[in-house]
Amino acid sequence: MGEAKRRKQNGAPSPARKNNKKPLLIAGALVVVVAVAAALYFLTTPPAPTSDELPVAAANAEPFPAFLDQYGTSVGSENARVVVREFADYQCPACARFAEASQRLKQEYVETGKVRFVYFDLPLRQHQNAMPAAQAARCAGDQGQYWAMHDKLYDAQGEWSGSNDPIATFTRYANGMDLEERRFRRCLETELHKEAVEQSLQVAVQMRVSSTPTVMVDNIQLTRPGWGQLSAVVERELNKTAD
């Protein structure tokens, strides 16, 4: 007797069908996606300017000595109500991440005249190409392209940070900006701006800044440098000056 016929006569149940796990997998994936989206929302959404979690100036903190800004590179109105200062190293990965926030700051607050941004060079000793990178930005500045080179250095940090010939790479960037190549290369090779970078470094020493990026809104040091905290503190300080 065939197996199928025997089962029919004996009333044996048909083999159980395999459970279709596809809906469960899809549901699980959706839960993960929602959780990740929620996490990103809370991490990237700026806190309210009135939040008690935002940093404040240290007790009895003195105003930042504005005359020191001459040793950094500034952009924005001299009459801006708030000044944001960054001490950074072009070879520092965390500084490259913060560069997105500083670009947005320039677009939304500096260009509207509300904020002035000052960038101080703080090349760290362990980064062999940080000093030439800082000089490359200033050499590009001689031809009116400081901020273009500033942004390029951070965008392409992974390309030049371990290079044995950073000058060649920086010169290629300069060519892409239509800078005069011979003038730019001469500026780098003669270390024309090394003293200026070292003076900026001394400002960091004077202000007891030793890590990068260190970001200050007036005399308030950010505890979590990034767009969320930066924009919230800027808004809070702008609201104060408007009162």
Side-chain angles (χ1 to χ4, degrees), residues 1 10 58 91 93 114 118 129 156 179 193 195 200 208 217 221 237:
M1 183 184 294
N10 297 337
Q91 202 172 334
K114 298 177 182 178
V118 187
N129 290 334
L179 302 185
H193 294 296
E195 182 179 354
S200 178
R208 298 181 180 179
V217 179
Q221 183 171 329
E237 299 308 301

Side-chain angles (χ1 to χ4, degrees), residues 139 180-192:
C139 287
E180 185 181 335
E181 179 179 337
R182 291 176 62 184
R183 180 183 175 188
F184 179 83
R185 178 176 281 274
R186 189 184 314 116
C187 177
L188 278 179
E189 291 176 342
T190 61
E191 297 188 308
L192 181 63

